Amino acid sequence: MGLNASERTYLAFLLPLRLWIGGYLLYQGIRKYLRDFPHADWIKAQIGDLDKVELYAWYKSFLVDTVVPNRELVGTLVMYGEILVGLCLVLGLLTRFSSIVGLFMLLNYYFGPGMARGGATLAQQQTFIVALVVIFLSNAGKTLGLDSLLFKKK
C-alpha cells in the first residue's frame, strides 16, 4: 500500500462547499446590514456580558481594549466582510484571498461567540474554519468561478 500523492482531486467536488459557505456568509452579512448591525449592541448580543463570560484572557483583553472602543467600525467591517467574502466565494472570485479573509473572521467568531456559547455555535465555527482551509488549499474558485477566467494557464 503506497501513498498516491499524485492523485488529482476534481475541484467540482468542492463547488457545493464553496457555494454553501459563501451563501451562508452572504446571507448573514445581508441580515446584519438590514438590522443596522454596527449601531446595535452587537457585542453583548453575540458574545454576552464581557465581565461574566469565560473567554481566553488574551482574547478578552483584545475585545475590551480594541473592539469595544471601536465597536461601530468593527461592526461595519464584520458586516461588509461577510457580504464581500460570501459574494466572492459564491462567484468564485479571488477565492484564495477571500477564504483567508473569511478564515480570519471565523477564527474571531470561534474565539468570541463560539467560546462564549459553546455547543453547536462552537462546532459550526470549527466546521466553517476547516471548510475555508480546504477551499484555500484547493483553489476551488477555478471550477465554475471567475477565478478560471482571471487566472488562465498560458
Side-chain angles (χ1 to χ4, degrees):
M1 182 165 120
L3 176 64
N4 191 359
S6 65
E7 182 69 29
R8 295 185 58 124
T9 300
Y10 294 102
L11 295 179
F13 291 128
L14 298 174
L15 180 64
L17 181 66
R18 189 189 88 212
L19 292 175
W20 172 257
I21 301 294
Y24 182 82
L25 289 173
L26 180 61
Y27 171 74
Q28 291 299 322
I30 290 170
R31 284 187 61 216
K32 285 176 175 66
Y33 177 80
L34 294 174
R35 292 189 328 242
D36 198 24
F37 179 78
H39 300 104
D41 188 12
W42 62 269
I43 296 173
K44 191 168 192 167
Q46 297 293 320
I47 301 171
D49 188 359
L50 292 178
D51 294 331
K52 297 177 183 173
V53 72
E54 288 187 36
L55 299 171
Y56 291 114
W58 61 270
Y59 194 75
K60 187 183 264 190
S61 69
F62 165 71
L63 288 173
V64 170
D65 298 338
T66 306
V67 175
V68 171
N70 301 298
R71 83 174 116 255
E72 280 188 35
L73 173 64
V74 173
T76 302
L77 290 172
V78 165
M79 178 181 67
Y80 285 118
E82 286 182 356
I83 291 171
L84 291 173
V85 167
L87 190 61
C88 284
L89 288 175
V90 166
L91 296 174
L93 176 64
L94 304 172
T95 308
R96 282 194 160 161
F97 176 74
S98 299
S99 61
I100 287 294
V101 173
L103 189 60
F104 174 77
M105 289 189 321
L106 268 291
L107 283 170
N108 276 287
Y109 301 166
Y110 173 79
F111 289 121
M115 296 301 289
R117 294 182 186 168
T121 304
L122 185 62
Q124 179 188 28
Q125 307 313 329
Q126 292 168 336
T127 303
F128 279 28
I129 288 167
V130 170
L132 285 170
V133 168
V134 169
I135 290 169
F136 171 75
L137 292 175
S138 66
N139 202 10
K142 291 205 172 193
T143 299
L144 294 177
L146 296 176
D147 282 352
S148 64
L149 299 174
L150 286 176
F151 305 109
K152 288 183 179 179
K153 287 185 180 180
K154 295 182 182 190

